[in-house]
Amino acid sequence: MALTRIFLVRHADVENPRRLLYGHLDGFQLSALGRAQALAVGDRLRSADLKRIVHSPLARAVETTELINSRLAQPAILEADPELREADFSRYLQGVPFWQIPVRRPLWFVHKAKRGLLPGDEAIDQLGGRVLSVVKRLAVEHPGETMAVVSHADPLQAAWVLLDGRPHNEREIYRKVVDRAGVLQVDLEGDKPVAWEYIPPPKVEDPASAAA
């Protein structure tokens, strides 16, 4: 049976000077650091012979995907999939500075106690499950190929919880973190994940620091 390798990539660093929770809002592009990170991920994956990159439709994921693709020896096929979107509950939180969320978005406490209790909030198996459904679909449709998926922190970390078989709680979703431009490498036999490992983000110099 052909082994399929899929790299689950979190989008790179975002320009966000007001430190808002941006959720599903438009207009949040990568920062200079983020662009450097995405290019470095592309350099790292250049030898992997990526055939296809499937990405969240949100701007920061699209830009990360395009920059990765620009560094590949042969451009990959690019495909948007809404199943890779940010967590749906972030629609309730978006537009608010991080530090104001507990005061201005009080349902956040219910969300943190147990995901899935509130309307519009996804349980961890739903959140991670939609990422893994894309991964398994790709493995079935393109067996033996090497591909990448570009998504967001909570969906990717929830998928990691499911892969590991860890308890479905808030502590576990943040115990193993996929950093910006971090990668979770997953190998599948058929549509069954058989091995996975985390690859930290490439170390790049922040262009803003270099210019200072």
Side-chain angles (χ1 to χ4, degrees), residues 196-207:
W196 49 93
E197 66 172 307
Y198 180 60
I199 304 169
K203 293 182 179 179
V204 298
E205 185 174 8
D206 186 343

Side-chain angles (χ1 to χ4, degrees), residues 45-67:
L45 296 180
R46 185 179 176 87
S47 62
D49 191 25
L50 290 184
K51 300 298 187 185
R52 183 178 303 267
I53 308 175
V54 184
H55 57 85
S56 158
L58 292 169
R60 55 195 183 272
V62 174
E63 190 176 3
T64 299
T65 299
E66 291 172 345
L67 289 169

Side-chain angles (χ1 to χ4, degrees), residues 11-32 34-35 56-64 86 90 93-98 152 180:
H11 67 80
D13 190 70
V14 174
E15 186 69 26
N16 184 20
R18 295 172 59 198
R19 293 195 52 77
L20 302 179
L21 197 144
Y22 32 74
H24 293 251
L25 294 173
D26 289 330
F28 283 88
Q29 303 293 141
L30 299 186
S31 64
R35 291 191 292 273
S56 158
L58 292 169
R60 55 195 183 272
V62 174
E63 190 176 3
T64 299
E86 179 61 280
S90 66
L93 304 173
Q94 66 192 23
V96 177
F98 286 96
H152 306 267
R180 293 179 182 87

